[in-house]
Amino acid sequence: MADTLAEAPQSALSGVARVLVHAGKLNEKVAESLVRSAREKKISFVAAVIAAGTVSPADLAHTLSTALALPLLDLNAVDSQKLPRNIIDVKLASEYHLVVLGKRGGRLFIGGADPTDQEAVERIKFATQLTPEWVIVEHDKLAKLVEANGASASETLESMTTGDFEFDVTDEAAAQEATEATSDVEDAPVVRFLQKMLIDAINARASDLHFEPYEYHYRVRFRIDGELREITQPPIAIKDKLASRIKVISRLDIAEKRVPQDGRMKLKFGSKAIDFRVSTLPTLFGEKIVIRILDASSAKLGIEALGYEKIERDRLLQCIHRPYGMVLVTGPTGSGKTVSLYTCLNILNQPGVNISTVEDPAEINLPGINQVNVNDRAGLTFAVALKSFLRQDPDVIMVGEIRDLETADIAIKAAQTGHMVMSTLHTNDAPTTLTRMLNMGVAPFNIASSVLLITAQRLARKLCESCKAPATYPREAMLKAGFAESDINGSWTPFRAVGCSACTNGYRGRVGIYQVMPITDEIQRIILTEGTAVDIAQQAQREGVRDLRQSGLVKVRTGVTTLEEVISVTNE
């Protein structure tokens, strides 16, 4: 709307007011009067027009549709139960008086009575990372639907607090504090809000929840299939109470706000129990809290579900069943290294096998495996735990990460003295892992004699099976991406992401892309002569080891993911 309309000419009118004046539905003075009334009552101009009875909802919708060349939809013909949920926050929908009608690719179709509201467009675009496209709907029918959605959300929230839902707090003092927090009437909305966010995150298949305080607003984001999405912006006033609530449940010090803290909590929902890892970080405007959902079922999916091709799977299984040696898994943070190691441990977890792990921290509880958490403050480091393991008669040892020369030396000695050792490193691919260990100070002979296999991995988003569609790429683009001339023979069809109510922008879930490199006699010779990572990579190629890009292109050929996604995750 214009800044001042008390004495404004017609040209100063904007948005719906200008459209109605130009269409002859309102005269200039009436429009100005309604603008002032809307400002005084703090309602939208559309609501003011409808309340005054100067234009009917149906007439208003038809006028806007015609003048702005936008589609018109009768909400009575739409099944509200089938409309997409949780794409935008209920509060945002209520504030701007709109409803989500559907999603296709990067476009979000919004039903609203005022398509000239640019503030609503920007808020939705920021919250969803999608491009809003307006569909005109009648104001009265929209009001009923928005009100019904708000009531439904409130009922869901209430049912969560009265249902079979509780946090598992084993420490007596923490349990007492949690009980007091829950019974505090003033904190009840915070309790409900946290419970709703956790359940929404689980239902959305999120891996992490981010609670982020800023100077003038507070936002919650979920990481879904590797991408962060803003879910809601709760009132900034709840940030301290929410942080305290989370810290109480996680058995952290609620009085300590100056240093980062790490904790865990467990959510019992019916017969199911879900673990969460909690990390707090002091920022300029409060404590940022990240909650990671630890899905124990992911470690029990089986190696077939992780995305290994047959030749890669056979190489890995052959090595982990060896009586001694070292298997290394590499990749950046969040690439699924821990799940791969846990899957291997589950395969080896038999009554006659003694398995011990040292992690920082242990993410998932594995029955039958002795798991130890690193505690640097108490002096329990990776190296100290490893030394103790060797006196515990282990068959298999898993080290969460090799960070320094001391840990590397002890792990290698364990691999050389009759133990199967598994660990992770942060490197870009399998060949550079060997040069990374050389740079740490590990002797070439020790690397060559102990390391059996190195797996580098990334996680790529999987195409949604419900909506993926055939794609066409220029031949030059496919060759540049890494396909050989012989691959582009028309015998297979690439697919592209589309988007539907069952997925996120055309993707649902993630799949591993792997480079599985056994340490052969030739590669051992290169290591002993202190060859470069390039030399090792070239020899691995000659031996039939696919690099990460080539493994990703296999997933494109089989229709598991898109070429754009593979290029994105393997673009070193």
Side-chain angles (χ1 to χ4, degrees), residues 165-187:
F165 183 105
E166 62 175 329
F167 288 99
D168 183 19
V169 184
T170 54
D171 180 76
E172 289 185 7
Q176 178 63 29
E177 289 185 66
T179 302
E180 291 172 359
T182 304
S183 61
D184 189 341
V185 175
E186 291 185 356
D187 286 350

Side-chain angles (χ1 to χ4, degrees), residues 442-496:
V442 181
F445 171 78
N446 285 334
I447 298 174
S449 63
S450 60
V451 180
L452 300 176
L453 175 138
I454 301 173
T455 296
Q457 66 182 73
R458 299 289 189 275
L459 288 178
R461 292 178 295 170
K462 292 171 63 177
L463 278 166
C464 173
E465 293 296 331
S466 301
C467 65
K468 68 179 183 180
T472 303
Y473 296 104
R475 189 180 188 85
E476 296 74 18
M478 298 183 75
L479 291 172
K480 185 177 180 181
F483 282 111
E485 284 280 0
S486 57
D487 294 329
I488 313 173
N489 54 16
S491 62
W492 56 278
T493 303
F495 288 87
R496 61 182 173 86

Side-chain angles (χ1 to χ4, degrees), residues 17-156:
R18 174 177 293 181
V19 171
L20 293 178
V21 170
H22 284 177
K25 299 295 180 181
L26 294 177
N27 64 46
E28 195 176 326
K29 291 184 178 180
V30 172
E32 293 171 1
S33 173
L34 289 172
V35 168
R36 287 194 297 270
S37 174
R39 285 183 173 174
E40 291 168 1
K41 297 178 180 179
K42 296 182 179 180
I43 59 176
S44 69
F45 175 77
V46 170
V49 170
I50 301 300
T54 50
V55 181
S56 70
D59 193 10
L60 175 61
H62 280 87
T63 302
L64 292 175
S65 175
T66 303
L68 302 175
L70 290 173
L72 177 65
L73 177 69
D74 182 1
L75 285 178
N76 286 344
V78 175
D79 184 353
S80 62
Q81 298 300 317
K82 294 183 179 180
L83 292 176
R85 306 282 180 180
N86 300 324
I87 294 181
I88 63 173
D89 184 47
V90 173
K91 181 182 176 183
L92 183 63
S94 178
E95 180 180 351
Y96 291 102
H97 218 63
L98 48 85
V99 63
V100 175
L101 299 172
K103 183 179 69 168
R104 181 178 298 168
R107 297 182 297 167
L108 187 67
F109 296 96
I110 301 294
D114 183 1
T116 64
D117 191 344
Q118 288 303 311
E119 182 181 334
V121 170
E122 293 304 319
R123 283 283 301 276
I124 295 167
K125 194 171 183 179
F126 180 76
T128 64
Q129 300 301 303
L130 300 171
T131 302
E133 294 200 8
W134 285 101
V135 176
I136 305 294
V137 295
E138 295 170 37
H139 182 273
D140 54 344
K141 296 175 182 177
L142 176 63
K144 292 178 182 178
L145 186 58
V146 170
E147 184 179 353
N149 287 344
S152 175
S154 300
E155 290 169 7
T156 302

Side-chain angles (χ1 to χ4, degrees), residues 74 149 168 243 291 295 367 375 568:
D74 182 1
N149 287 344
D168 183 19
I291 301 178
D295 186 4
N375 188 337
S568 173

Side-chain angles (χ1 to χ4, degrees), residues 233-514:
Q233 289 193 13
I236 195 170
I238 75 167
K239 66 177 183 178
D240 292 329
K241 287 185 176 182
L242 184 60
S244 296
R245 172 67 179 165
I246 294 172
K247 288 163 79 172
V248 164
I249 299 168
S250 308
R251 297 183 289 280
L252 301 177
D253 184 355
I254 62 173
E256 181 56 80
K257 301 180 181 180
R258 299 166 299 173
V259 297
Q261 297 187 69
D262 293 294
R264 296 175 73 96
M265 63 185 183
K266 179 176 288 188
L267 171 69
K268 291 182 178 178
F269 190 57
S271 60
K272 189 175 183 180
I274 300 169
D275 288 306
F276 301 87
R277 191 177 74 196
V278 179
S279 173
T280 70
L281 179 70
T283 67
L284 286 176
F285 304 106
E287 289 181 285
K288 176 186 176 182
I289 299 176
V290 176
I291 301 178
R292 168 155 289 187
I293 301 173
L294 305 177
D295 186 4
S297 62
S298 63
K300 301 174 184 178
L301 291 173
I303 198 166
E304 293 80 8
L306 298 184
Y308 285 92
E309 300 298 326
K310 185 179 186 307
I311 187 171
E312 298 165 345
R313 183 170 68 246
D314 292 345
R315 287 172 182 163
L316 179 59
L317 291 176
Q318 183 182 2
C319 283
I320 67 172
H321 282 102
R322 297 267 290 272
Y324 57 87
M326 180 181 284
V327 173
L328 296 172
V329 180
T330 76
T333 300
S335 61
K337 300 187 299 294
T338 303
V339 171
S340 292
L341 284 179
Y342 280 178
T343 301
C344 292
L345 292 179
N346 266 319
I347 293 171
L348 299 175
N349 189 13
Q350 303 295 329
V353 180
N354 180 17
I355 303 176
S356 296
T357 75
V358 54
E359 304 165 71
D360 185 20
E363 292 193 0
I364 297 172
N365 177 33
L366 299 174
I369 294 177
N370 307 293
Q371 296 174 272
V372 175
N373 273 338
V374 165
N375 188 337
D376 289 324
R377 186 177 297 178
L380 181 55
T381 62
F382 281 116
V384 170
L386 270 174
K387 289 177 183 177
S388 178
F389 284 173
L390 296 178
R391 296 190 290 270
Q392 292 276 322
D393 186 31
D395 297 303
V396 179
I397 296 172
M398 195 270 269
V399 185
E401 183 185 349
I402 294 178
R403 296 176 178 173
D404 51 47
L405 178 59
E406 183 182 11
T407 305
D409 273 339
I410 299 171
I412 284 173
K413 288 174 184 174
Q416 292 171 334
T417 55
H419 308 91
M420 171 54 64
V421 179
M422 301 179 187
S423 188
T424 71
L425 276 171
H426 287 94
T427 57
N428 289 334
D429 58 14
T432 55
T433 303
L434 298 170
T435 55
R436 167 86 173 107
M437 295 183 76
L438 288 171
N439 291 337
M440 276 185 181
V442 181
F445 171 78
N446 285 334
I447 298 174
S449 63
S450 60
V451 180
L452 300 176
L453 175 138
I454 301 173
T455 296
Q457 66 182 73
R458 299 289 189 275
L459 288 178
R461 292 178 295 170
K462 292 171 63 177
L463 278 166
C464 173
E465 293 296 331
S466 301
C467 65
K468 68 179 183 180
T472 303
Y473 296 104
R475 189 180 188 85
E476 296 74 18
M478 298 183 75
L479 291 172
K480 185 177 180 181
F483 282 111
E485 284 280 0
S486 57
D487 294 329
I488 313 173
N489 54 16
S491 62
W492 56 278
T493 303
F495 288 87
R496 61 182 173 86
V498 178
C500 65
S501 59
C503 65
T504 303
N505 299 333
Y507 297 95
R508 182 177 175 86
R510 291 193 287 177
V511 66
I513 295 175
Y514 304 93

